[in-house]
Amino acid sequence: MQGSRVAVIGGSIAGCAATLAAVRAGAESVTVYERAGGELRDRGVGISLHDDRYRELHEAGYVTPEMPYKQLDRRVWTVRDGDAELGRGLATQPFPFRAYNWGSLWQELRRRVPEGVDYRSRAAVASVSQDPDGVTVRLAGGGEERHDAVVGADGYRSVVREAMFPHLTPLYAGYVGWRGAGSDVGGSWPDDGEARTVVFPGGHCVIYRILTADGGSRVNWVLYTAPPEELAEELNLDEPTSLAPGRLSSQLTTHLRQLVAKHFPPYWAESILGTPPDSTILQPIYDLEVPGYAQGRLCLAGDAATVARPHIGGGSVKALQDAAALESAWREATGWDAAMAAYDHGRTEIGTAMVAQARRLGRAQVEETPEWAALDEEQFQSWWQKQNRTPDGRSGFGGHALRRG
Ligand SMILES: Cc1cc2nc3c(=O)[nH]c(=O)nc-3n(C[C@H](O)[C@H](O)[C@H](O)COP(=O)(O)OP(=O)(O)OC[C@H]3O[C@@H](n4cnc5c(N)ncnc54)[C@H](O)[C@@H]3O)c2cc1C
């Protein structure tokens, strides 16, 4: 790889990490093409990383303790119980996750992109095509540039994946995630270490605190459920899409508010209803797996390669692990064929396994929810064990281990 010219399409989590990987593996020049402008740092929602996965990524040099976070240790699955302020706890589980603010996690990754890398904002790529000697990148604003290899870190609507596997698109899972970060109402919620999952017929909502840029805290929440049919049609969910803050229709906002008012214990309803509608995001949930992570001089990382439903809590972990795997594959290989084959071999199977497990979790927690209020703690734990069991006996909740043990 020494002396090569590499392009990374997408400069978000997977893109910044893949850039670091390419530089460490010896690329002479790395160009990052990122469609967005400065607004990436403004994404104020939460993202959580499992403690074990964090440790591996720290050892591999892709995350650092300087990235500000709140430590979570348990989560209480909660159901509405009349007027009881916090509702009724169905079960408590260990929840060893670091809760990050997306914006500050990204800024720290961006800061670690080595000087000398040509990171271009507002640089959208229209398409890529490869030949035996390299890859041509066509810019949406006009012009073409040549590189020896390209990493597609351009998310779920990847143009690099389109070049590798035309017509392969994310499949709508049948429900959406409403996502926001409201002001912290303080009061009865005991401490920062506790996450809550409020459950209701046909869905659930994960809630935990995150830090703000000024050291304060906000209540991060993601609520998963199917939208009513007439609203789903309007959204055209078969086309991969997401609605940025401020783009939710008043009908969607009203639906969300009515659902929360009806099913949530008063404390959690107040937290969520207090989030300004114009800062709420809607993300349809998709499944996507690929036949391979690499092909010729093209390869994929993060959501460009596989989109696992968020219930697995490991999409960002997977994006960072892809970069660590890319670094080792490229460092050890003596040519592009071997480098790409080693990367493909290591990641395709894990990506596919994560998508499958996330689908199982989504079925149980959204599509076929149990009669939550009737479950006692023992029944709840056995329900959880059943859905979280993987065919090879390893739990992938929080993401798979970086290296197979
Ligand atoms: C509701 C929800 C909750 C989640 N919670 C968690 C969690 O708690 N923990 C966790 O680990 N994961 C979580 N995830 C998953 C995680 O957010 C993603 O897996 C991860 O952010 C993927 O990062 P990425 O860099 O691959 O993709 P993205 O962040 O989507 O980045 C792709 C980048 O490419 C750029 N781009 C796209 N097309 C082009 C183009 N043509 N030219 C140039 N640039 C382009 C985009 O502007 C963008 O910056 C969650 C996901 C959802 C939907």
Side-chain angles (χ1 to χ4, degrees):
M1 302 305 104
Q2 298 291 327
S4 58
R5 293 182 314 128
V6 171
V8 177
I9 319 283
S12 177
I13 293 181
C16 288
T19 301
L20 193 57
V23 172
R24 287 179 176 169
E28 184 178 295
S29 80
V30 183
T31 306
V32 182
Y33 301 94
E34 168 52 55
R35 184 176 52 198
E39 64 264 31
L40 276 182
R41 75 174 64 93
D42 302 330
R43 289 191 197 166
V45 290
I47 205 99
S48 56
L49 302 189
H50 192 286
D51 286 358
D52 293 344
R53 306 289 79 82
Y54 169 86
R55 267 192 292 278
E56 294 162 353
L57 288 164
H58 181 231
E59 268 170 37
Y62 284 85
V63 288
T64 65
E66 287 79 51
M67 298 169 167
Y69 68 99
K70 278 184 185 282
Q71 182 66 53
L72 304 172
D73 55 35
R74 65 195 184 285
R75 85 159 139 176
V76 183
W77 292 76
T78 303
V79 68
R80 180 167 185 164
D81 186 15
D83 291 335
E85 205 191 358
L86 294 179
R88 176 166 62 86
L90 291 176
T92 301
Q93 292 179 320
F95 199 68
F97 279 83
R98 292 172 166 235
Y100 291 93
N101 179 314
W102 195 97
S104 44
L105 179 67
W106 175 79
Q107 278 186 62
E108 187 58 30
L109 287 167
R110 173 72 186 88
R111 199 182 61 76
R112 289 160 59 76
V113 168
E115 271 189 37
V117 166
D118 182 10
Y119 185 107
R120 303 187 199 163
S121 297
R122 296 193 176 82
V125 170
S127 66
V128 298
S129 57
Q130 62 172 325
D131 54 60
D133 299 323
V135 184
T136 302
V137 170
R138 283 176 208 87
L139 299 172
E144 293 185 354
E145 295 180 9
R146 285 286 290 175
H147 298 275
D148 295 318
V150 165
V151 183
D154 47 346
Y156 69 123
R157 285 182 289 194
S158 169
V159 295
V160 181
R161 189 183 63 238
E162 172 66 22
M164 290 167 67
F165 308 110
H167 316 304
L168 189 69
T169 54
L171 196 64
Y172 175 52
Y175 59 94
V176 302
W178 268 276
R179 203 172 184 188
S183 46
D184 194 342
V185 290
S188 323
W189 193 8
D191 61 70
D192 286 357
E194 185 180 283
R196 287 270 173 159
T197 297
V198 173
V199 295
F200 55 88
H204 69 279
C205 178
V206 183
I207 308 170
Y208 53 82
R209 289 190 172 104
I210 54 169
L211 286 169
T212 54
D214 59 6
S217 76
R218 290 188 89 72
V219 175
N220 173 74
W221 55 269
V222 194
L223 185 155
Y224 302 98
T225 197
E229 249 168 56
E230 64 284 6
L231 298 184
E233 269 172 32
E234 174 194 318
L235 286 167
N236 189 20
L237 294 165
D238 289 334
E239 286 294 316
T241 187
S242 75
L243 296 189
R247 288 195 45 220
L248 266 72
S249 67
S250 58
Q251 290 92 326
L252 279 166
T253 302
T254 305
H255 177 74
L256 172 73
R257 296 180 79 81
Q258 285 172 346
L259 188 147
V260 169
K262 180 170 174 196
H263 292 296
F264 279 51
Y267 179 90
W268 311 107
E270 187 187 342
S271 297
I272 289 166
L273 296 176
T275 309
D278 63 1
S279 68
T280 303
I281 306 167
L282 186 130
Q283 291 183 300
I285 303 304
Y286 296 99
D287 294 307
L288 173 80
E289 52 215 289
V290 283
Y293 263 55
Q295 194 183 78
R297 300 290 185 94
L298 302 175
C299 66
L300 301 168
D303 280 10
T306 49
V307 179
R309 301 188 195 182
H311 320 292
I312 196 164
S316 303
V317 161
K318 181 169 63 65
L320 294 163
Q321 289 179 339
D322 287 346
L326 196 66
E327 180 187 340
S328 352
W330 284 14
R331 219 188 247 283
E332 283 155 27
T334 47
W336 284 113
D337 287 352
M340 293 300 204
Y343 177 60
D344 181 49
H345 177 70
R347 296 311 289 169
T348 306
E349 190 195 327
I350 287 176
T352 304
M354 281 183 67
V355 175
Q357 195 193 357
R359 197 182 282 128
R360 264 197 303 280
L361 293 167
R363 289 222 170 103
Q365 295 178 27
V366 184
E367 294 173 88
E368 296 161 12
T369 49
E371 203 184 320
W372 300 106
L375 298 178
D376 63 23
E377 173 114 23
E378 200 182 320
Q379 288 166 327
F380 182 92
Q381 299 295 2
S382 85
W383 168 83
W384 171 260
Q385 291 303 333
K386 202 165 135 210
Q387 51 160 308
N388 198 35
R389 198 175 303 127
T390 51
D392 63 3
R394 292 182 307 166
S395 164
F397 181 55
H400 279 55
L402 182 54
R403 292 176 224 297
R404 286 165 231 212

PDB file of all heavy atoms in Angstrom, residues 244-271:
ATOM      1  N   ALA A 244     -34.776  14.985   8.303  1.00  0.00           N
ATOM      2  CA  ALA A 244     -33.926  15.777   9.188  1.00  0.00           C
ATOM      3  C   ALA A 244     -34.799  16.627  10.112  1.00  0.00           C
ATOM      4  O   ALA A 244     -36.003  16.790   9.855  1.00  0.00           O
ATOM      5  CB  ALA A 244     -33.040  16.668   8.331  1.00  0.00           C
ATOM      6  N   PRO A 245     -34.213  17.179  11.198  1.00  0.00           N
ATOM      7  CA  PRO A 245     -34.989  18.040  12.090  1.00  0.00           C
ATOM      8  C   PRO A 245     -35.712  19.127  11.309  1.00  0.00           C
ATOM      9  O   PRO A 245     -35.152  19.708  10.379  1.00  0.00           O
ATOM     10  CB  PRO A 245     -33.916  18.657  12.996  1.00  0.00           C
ATOM     11  CG  PRO A 245     -32.778  17.722  12.946  1.00  0.00           C
ATOM     12  CD  PRO A 245     -32.822  17.049  11.615  1.00  0.00           C
ATOM     13  N   GLY A 246     -36.974  19.379  11.700  1.00  0.00           N
ATOM     14  CA  GLY A 246     -37.742  20.441  11.047  1.00  0.00           C
ATOM     15  C   GLY A 246     -38.510  19.948   9.832  1.00  0.00           C
ATOM     16  O   GLY A 246     -39.315  20.678   9.266  1.00  0.00           O
ATOM     17  N   ARG A 247     -38.282  18.682   9.396  1.00  0.00           N
ATOM     18  CA  ARG A 247     -38.957  18.210   8.183  1.00  0.00           C
ATOM     19  C   ARG A 247     -40.126  17.272   8.463  1.00  0.00           C
ATOM     20  O   ARG A 247     -40.756  16.754   7.550  1.00  0.00           O
ATOM     21  CB  ARG A 247     -37.944  17.541   7.248  1.00  0.00           C
ATOM     22  CG  ARG A 247     -37.014  18.561   6.587  1.00  0.00           C
ATOM     23  CD  ARG A 247     -36.269  17.969   5.417  1.00  0.00           C
ATOM     24  NE  ARG A 247     -37.117  17.178   4.545  1.00  0.00           N
ATOM     25  CZ  ARG A 247     -36.744  16.028   3.982  1.00  0.00           C
ATOM     26  NH1 ARG A 247     -35.560  15.538   4.218  1.00  0.00           N
ATOM     27  NH2 ARG A 247     -37.566  15.366   3.201  1.00  0.00           N
ATOM     28  N   LEU A 248     -40.443  17.044   9.745  1.00  0.00           N
ATOM     29  CA  LEU A 248     -41.582  16.179  10.069  1.00  0.00           C
ATOM     30  C   LEU A 248     -42.885  16.934   9.827  1.00  0.00           C
ATOM     31  O   LEU A 248     -43.003  18.090  10.231  1.00  0.00           O
ATOM     32  CB  LEU A 248     -41.529  15.761  11.533  1.00  0.00           C
ATOM     33  CG  LEU A 248     -40.849  14.425  11.841  1.00  0.00           C
ATOM     34  CD1 LEU A 248     -39.345  14.539  11.646  1.00  0.00           C
ATOM     35  CD2 LEU A 248     -41.141  14.003  13.266  1.00  0.00           C
ATOM     36  N   SER A 249     -43.851  16.274   9.201  1.00  0.00           N
ATOM     37  CA  SER A 249     -45.136  16.937   8.967  1.00  0.00           C
ATOM     38  C   SER A 249     -45.875  17.067  10.301  1.00  0.00           C
ATOM     39  O   SER A 249     -45.582  16.345  11.263  1.00  0.00           O
ATOM     40  CB  SER A 249     -45.978  16.110   7.998  1.00  0.00           C
ATOM     41  OG  SER A 249     -46.337  14.893   8.618  1.00  0.00           O
ATOM     42  N   SER A 250     -46.855  17.971  10.358  1.00  0.00           N
ATOM     43  CA  SER A 250     -47.588  18.154  11.607  1.00  0.00           C
ATOM     44  C   SER A 250     -48.378  16.876  11.953  1.00  0.00           C
ATOM     45  O   SER A 250     -48.561  16.536  13.113  1.00  0.00           O
ATOM     46  CB  SER A 250     -48.515  19.360  11.520  1.00  0.00           C
ATOM     47  OG  SER A 250     -49.393  19.163  10.456  1.00  0.00           O
ATOM     48  N   GLN A 251     -48.787  16.099  10.929  1.00  0.00           N
ATOM     49  CA  GLN A 251     -49.507  14.843  11.207  1.00  0.00           C
ATOM     50  C   GLN A 251     -48.600  13.845  11.924  1.00  0.00           C
ATOM     51  O   GLN A 251     -49.024  13.167  12.856  1.00  0.00           O
ATOM     52  CB  GLN A 251     -50.008  14.191   9.908  1.00  0.00           C
ATOM     53  CG  GLN A 251     -51.137  14.934   9.234  1.00  0.00           C
ATOM     54  CD  GLN A 251     -50.601  15.932   8.203  1.00  0.00           C
ATOM     55  OE1 GLN A 251     -49.532  16.526   8.389  1.00  0.00           O
ATOM     56  NE2 GLN A 251     -51.355  16.123   7.147  1.00  0.00           N
ATOM     57  N   LEU A 252     -47.338  13.758  11.470  1.00  0.00           N
ATOM     58  CA  LEU A 252     -46.400  12.827  12.116  1.00  0.00           C
ATOM     59  C   LEU A 252     -46.127  13.257  13.548  1.00  0.00           C
ATOM     60  O   LEU A 252     -46.066  12.440  14.460  1.00  0.00           O
ATOM     61  CB  LEU A 252     -45.080  12.780  11.335  1.00  0.00           C
ATOM     62  CG  LEU A 252     -45.074  11.888  10.093  1.00  0.00           C
ATOM     63  CD1 LEU A 252     -43.863  12.169   9.218  1.00  0.00           C
ATOM     64  CD2 LEU A 252     -45.109  10.419  10.490  1.00  0.00           C
ATOM     65  N   THR A 253     -45.952  14.556  13.741  1.00  0.00           N
ATOM     66  CA  THR A 253     -45.682  15.067  15.091  1.00  0.00           C
ATOM     67  C   THR A 253     -46.872  14.801  16.001  1.00  0.00           C
ATOM     68  O   THR A 253     -46.716  14.354  17.141  1.00  0.00           O
ATOM     69  CB  THR A 253     -45.379  16.583  15.019  1.00  0.00           C
ATOM     70  OG1 THR A 253     -44.269  16.743  14.139  1.00  0.00           O
ATOM     71  CG2 THR A 253     -45.032  17.152  16.373  1.00  0.00           C
ATOM     72  N   THR A 254     -48.083  15.032  15.497  1.00  0.00           N
ATOM     73  CA  THR A 254     -49.282  14.808  16.302  1.00  0.00           C
ATOM     74  C   THR A 254     -49.391  13.335  16.669  1.00  0.00           C
ATOM     75  O   THR A 254     -49.694  12.976  17.821  1.00  0.00           O
ATOM     76  CB  THR A 254     -50.547  15.241  15.516  1.00  0.00           C
ATOM     77  OG1 THR A 254     -50.347  16.584  15.124  1.00  0.00           O
ATOM     78  CG2 THR A 254     -51.806  15.107  16.334  1.00  0.00           C
ATOM     79  N   HIS A 255     -49.108  12.452  15.711  1.00  0.00           N
ATOM     80  CA  HIS A 255     -49.190  11.021  15.987  1.00  0.00           C
ATOM     81  C   HIS A 255     -48.230  10.635  17.114  1.00  0.00           C
ATOM     82  O   HIS A 255     -48.601   9.929  18.054  1.00  0.00           O
ATOM     83  CB  HIS A 255     -48.872  10.220  14.720  1.00  0.00           C
ATOM     84  CG  HIS A 255     -48.877   8.742  14.959  1.00  0.00           C
ATOM     85  ND1 HIS A 255     -50.033   8.024  15.130  1.00  0.00           N
ATOM     86  CD2 HIS A 255     -47.865   7.863  15.135  1.00  0.00           C
ATOM     87  CE1 HIS A 255     -49.745   6.764  15.371  1.00  0.00           C
ATOM     88  NE2 HIS A 255     -48.425   6.635  15.385  1.00  0.00           N
ATOM     89  N   LEU A 256     -47.001  11.123  17.015  1.00  0.00           N
ATOM     90  CA  LEU A 256     -46.000  10.808  18.038  1.00  0.00           C
ATOM     91  C   LEU A 256     -46.460  11.299  19.412  1.00  0.00           C
ATOM     92  O   LEU A 256     -46.398  10.577  20.410  1.00  0.00           O
ATOM     93  CB  LEU A 256     -44.657  11.464  17.663  1.00  0.00           C
ATOM     94  CG  LEU A 256     -43.573  11.395  18.729  1.00  0.00           C
ATOM     95  CD1 LEU A 256     -43.032   9.971  18.830  1.00  0.00           C
ATOM     96  CD2 LEU A 256     -42.427  12.345  18.422  1.00  0.00           C
ATOM     97  N   ARG A 257     -46.964  12.516  19.463  1.00  0.00           N
ATOM     98  CA  ARG A 257     -47.352  13.106  20.748  1.00  0.00           C
ATOM     99  C   ARG A 257     -48.531  12.357  21.380  1.00  0.00           C
ATOM    100  O   ARG A 257     -48.566  12.122  22.578  1.00  0.00           O
ATOM    101  CB  ARG A 257     -47.667  14.608  20.566  1.00  0.00           C
ATOM    102  CG  ARG A 257     -46.438  15.403  20.127  1.00  0.00           C
ATOM    103  CD  ARG A 257     -46.728  16.873  19.950  1.00  0.00           C
ATOM    104  NE  ARG A 257     -46.766  17.571  21.225  1.00  0.00           N
ATOM    105  CZ  ARG A 257     -45.684  17.975  21.886  1.00  0.00           C
ATOM    106  NH1 ARG A 257     -44.477  17.754  21.404  1.00  0.00           N
ATOM    107  NH2 ARG A 257     -45.798  18.594  23.028  1.00  0.00           N
ATOM    108  N   GLN A 258     -49.461  11.944  20.540  1.00  0.00           N
ATOM    109  CA  GLN A 258     -50.622  11.211  21.075  1.00  0.00           C
ATOM    110  C   GLN A 258     -50.196   9.853  21.634  1.00  0.00           C
ATOM    111  O   GLN A 258     -50.647   9.429  22.693  1.00  0.00           O
ATOM    112  CB  GLN A 258     -51.671  11.023  19.980  1.00  0.00           C
ATOM    113  CG  GLN A 258     -52.421  12.314  19.690  1.00  0.00           C
ATOM    114  CD  GLN A 258     -53.341  12.200  18.476  1.00  0.00           C
ATOM    115  OE1 GLN A 258     -53.239  11.254  17.699  1.00  0.00           O
ATOM    116  NE2 GLN A 258     -54.217  13.188  18.302  1.00  0.00           N
ATOM    117  N   LEU A 259     -49.284   9.210  20.909  1.00  0.00           N
ATOM    118  CA  LEU A 259     -48.813   7.890  21.341  1.00  0.00           C
ATOM    119  C   LEU A 259     -48.091   7.999  22.698  1.00  0.00           C
ATOM    120  O   LEU A 259     -48.316   7.216  23.607  1.00  0.00           O
ATOM    121  CB  LEU A 259     -47.876   7.351  20.259  1.00  0.00           C
ATOM    122  CG  LEU A 259     -47.387   5.926  20.371  1.00  0.00           C
ATOM    123  CD1 LEU A 259     -47.220   5.346  18.965  1.00  0.00           C
ATOM    124  CD2 LEU A 259     -46.076   5.825  21.091  1.00  0.00           C
ATOM    125  N   VAL A 260     -47.234   8.997  22.810  1.00  0.00           N
ATOM    126  CA  VAL A 260     -46.475   9.190  24.056  1.00  0.00           C
ATOM    127  C   VAL A 260     -47.419   9.524  25.206  1.00  0.00           C
ATOM    128  O   VAL A 260     -47.312   8.972  26.310  1.00  0.00           O
ATOM    129  CB  VAL A 260     -45.408  10.297  23.855  1.00  0.00           C
ATOM    130  CG1 VAL A 260     -44.786  10.704  25.177  1.00  0.00           C
ATOM    131  CG2 VAL A 260     -44.330   9.825  22.890  1.00  0.00           C
ATOM    132  N   ALA A 261     -48.368  10.418  24.953  1.00  0.00           N
ATOM    133  CA  ALA A 261     -49.296  10.818  26.018  1.00  0.00           C
ATOM    134  C   ALA A 261     -50.110   9.606  26.506  1.00  0.00           C
ATOM    135  O   ALA A 261     -50.402   9.472  27.696  1.00  0.00           O
ATOM    136  CB  ALA A 261     -50.227  11.911  25.502  1.00  0.00           C
ATOM    137  N   LYS A 262     -50.421   8.696  25.596  1.00  0.00           N
ATOM    138  CA  LYS A 262     -51.265   7.551  25.968  1.00  0.00           C
ATOM    139  C   LYS A 262     -50.477   6.455  26.697  1.00  0.00           C
ATOM    140  O   LYS A 262     -50.955   5.870  27.666  1.00  0.00           O
ATOM    141  CB  LYS A 262     -51.874   6.970  24.681  1.00  0.00           C
ATOM    142  CG  LYS A 262     -52.781   5.789  24.904  1.00  0.00           C
ATOM    143  CD  LYS A 262     -53.515   5.445  23.626  1.00  0.00           C
ATOM    144  CE  LYS A 262     -54.311   4.173  23.794  1.00  0.00           C
ATOM    145  NZ  LYS A 262     -54.718   3.600  22.522  1.00  0.00           N
ATOM    146  N   HIS A 263     -49.254   6.180  26.239  1.00  0.00           N
ATOM    147  CA  HIS A 263     -48.568   4.973  26.719  1.00  0.00           C
ATOM    148  C   HIS A 263     -47.427   5.217  27.697  1.00  0.00           C
ATOM    149  O   HIS A 263     -46.911   4.260  28.270  1.00  0.00           O
ATOM    150  CB  HIS A 263     -48.001   4.186  25.535  1.00  0.00           C
ATOM    151  CG  HIS A 263     -49.064   3.575  24.667  1.00  0.00           C
ATOM    152  ND1 HIS A 263     -49.917   2.604  25.137  1.00  0.00           N
ATOM    153  CD2 HIS A 263     -49.403   3.797  23.377  1.00  0.00           C
ATOM    154  CE1 HIS A 263     -50.735   2.253  24.156  1.00  0.00           C
ATOM    155  NE2 HIS A 263     -50.443   2.964  23.082  1.00  0.00           N
ATOM    156  N   PHE A 264     -46.980   6.460  27.852  1.00  0.00           N
ATOM    157  CA  PHE A 264     -45.766   6.661  28.652  1.00  0.00           C
ATOM    158  C   PHE A 264     -46.099   7.074  30.078  1.00  0.00           C
ATOM    159  O   PHE A 264     -47.028   7.860  30.310  1.00  0.00           O
ATOM    160  CB  PHE A 264     -44.876   7.738  28.008  1.00  0.00           C
ATOM    161  CG  PHE A 264     -44.039   7.212  26.882  1.00  0.00           C
ATOM    162  CD1 PHE A 264     -44.606   6.490  25.847  1.00  0.00           C
ATOM    163  CD2 PHE A 264     -42.671   7.427  26.854  1.00  0.00           C
ATOM    164  CE1 PHE A 264     -43.841   5.991  24.811  1.00  0.00           C
ATOM    165  CE2 PHE A 264     -41.891   6.933  25.822  1.00  0.00           C
ATOM    166  CZ  PHE A 264     -42.477   6.219  24.797  1.00  0.00           C
ATOM    167  N   PRO A 265     -45.305   6.596  31.062  1.00  0.00           N
ATOM    168  CA  PRO A 265     -45.443   7.106  32.415  1.00  0.00           C
ATOM    169  C   PRO A 265     -45.208   8.630  32.392  1.00  0.00           C
ATOM    170  O   PRO A 265     -44.434   9.123  31.558  1.00  0.00           O
ATOM    171  CB  PRO A 265     -44.318   6.399  33.181  1.00  0.00           C
ATOM    172  CG  PRO A 265     -43.976   5.200  32.351  1.00  0.00           C
ATOM    173  CD  PRO A 265     -44.251   5.578  30.935  1.00  0.00           C
ATOM    174  N   PRO A 266     -45.880   9.382  33.304  1.00  0.00           N
ATOM    175  CA  PRO A 266     -45.873  10.844  33.208  1.00  0.00           C
ATOM    176  C   PRO A 266     -44.476  11.474  33.106  1.00  0.00           C
ATOM    177  O   PRO A 266     -44.264  12.385  32.307  1.00  0.00           O
ATOM    178  CB  PRO A 266     -46.563  11.284  34.501  1.00  0.00           C
ATOM    179  CG  PRO A 266     -47.411  10.103  34.891  1.00  0.00           C
ATOM    180  CD  PRO A 266     -46.729   8.881  34.371  1.00  0.00           C
ATOM    181  N   TYR A 267     -43.502  10.960  33.859  1.00  0.00           N
ATOM    182  CA  TYR A 267     -42.174  11.573  33.847  1.00  0.00           C
ATOM    183  C   TYR A 267     -41.541  11.495  32.454  1.00  0.00           C
ATOM    184  O   TYR A 267     -40.999  12.467  31.933  1.00  0.00           O
ATOM    185  CB  TYR A 267     -41.267  10.877  34.873  1.00  0.00           C
ATOM    186  CG  TYR A 267     -39.871  11.439  34.920  1.00  0.00           C
ATOM    187  CD1 TYR A 267     -39.568  12.492  35.779  1.00  0.00           C
ATOM    188  CD2 TYR A 267     -38.867  10.948  34.099  1.00  0.00           C
ATOM    189  CE1 TYR A 267     -38.288  13.040  35.814  1.00  0.00           C
ATOM    190  CE2 TYR A 267     -37.597  11.482  34.127  1.00  0.00           C
ATOM    191  CZ  TYR A 267     -37.316  12.518  34.985  1.00  0.00           C
ATOM    192  OH  TYR A 267     -36.055  13.056  35.011  1.00  0.00           O
ATOM    193  N   TRP A 268     -41.633  10.300  31.835  1.00  0.00           N
ATOM    194  CA  TRP A 268     -40.990  10.108  30.524  1.00  0.00           C
ATOM    195  C   TRP A 268     -41.780  10.821  29.442  1.00  0.00           C
ATOM    196  O   TRP A 268     -41.191  11.314  28.473  1.00  0.00           O
ATOM    197  CB  TRP A 268     -40.850   8.603  30.219  1.00  0.00           C
ATOM    198  CG  TRP A 268     -40.256   7.886  31.386  1.00  0.00           C
ATOM    199  CD1 TRP A 268     -40.890   7.055  32.251  1.00  0.00           C
ATOM    200  CD2 TRP A 268     -38.923   8.040  31.880  1.00  0.00           C
ATOM    201  NE1 TRP A 268     -40.031   6.662  33.236  1.00  0.00           N
ATOM    202  CE2 TRP A 268     -38.818   7.240  33.039  1.00  0.00           C
ATOM    203  CE3 TRP A 268     -37.808   8.755  31.458  1.00  0.00           C
ATOM    204  CZ2 TRP A 268     -37.648   7.138  33.778  1.00  0.00           C
ATOM    205  CZ3 TRP A 268     -36.647   8.655  32.190  1.00  0.00           C
ATOM    206  CH2 TRP A 268     -36.565   7.857  33.335  1.00  0.00           C
ATOM    207  N   ALA A 269     -43.099  10.897  29.630  1.00  0.00           N
ATOM    208  CA  ALA A 269     -43.909  11.651  28.656  1.00  0.00           C
ATOM    209  C   ALA A 269     -43.477  13.114  28.661  1.00  0.00           C
ATOM    210  O   ALA A 269     -43.289  13.727  27.603  1.00  0.00           O
ATOM    211  CB  ALA A 269     -45.390  11.523  29.000  1.00  0.00           C
ATOM    212  N   GLU A 270     -43.245  13.659  29.854  1.00  0.00           N
ATOM    213  CA  GLU A 270     -42.853  15.076  29.941  1.00  0.00           C
ATOM    214  C   GLU A 270     -41.515  15.304  29.233  1.00  0.00           C
ATOM    215  O   GLU A 270     -41.334  16.274  28.488  1.00  0.00           O
ATOM    216  CB  GLU A 270     -42.765  15.486  31.415  1.00  0.00           C
ATOM    217  CG  GLU A 270     -42.543  16.976  31.589  1.00  0.00           C
ATOM    218  CD  GLU A 270     -42.279  17.364  33.049  1.00  0.00           C
ATOM    219  OE1 GLU A 270     -42.602  16.570  33.968  1.00  0.00           O
ATOM    220  OE2 GLU A 270     -41.725  18.461  33.255  1.00  0.00           O
ATOM    221  N   SER A 271     -40.550  14.373  29.482  1.00  0.00           N
ATOM    222  CA  SER A 271     -39.225  14.518  28.844  1.00  0.00           C
ATOM    223  C   SER A 271     -39.356  14.554  27.326  1.00  0.00           C
ATOM    224  O   SER A 271     -38.742  15.379  26.650  1.00  0.00           O
ATOM    225  CB  SER A 271     -38.316  13.327  29.156  1.00  0.00           C
ATOM    226  OG  SER A 271     -38.069  13.240  30.505  1.00  0.00           O
TER     227      SER A 271
END
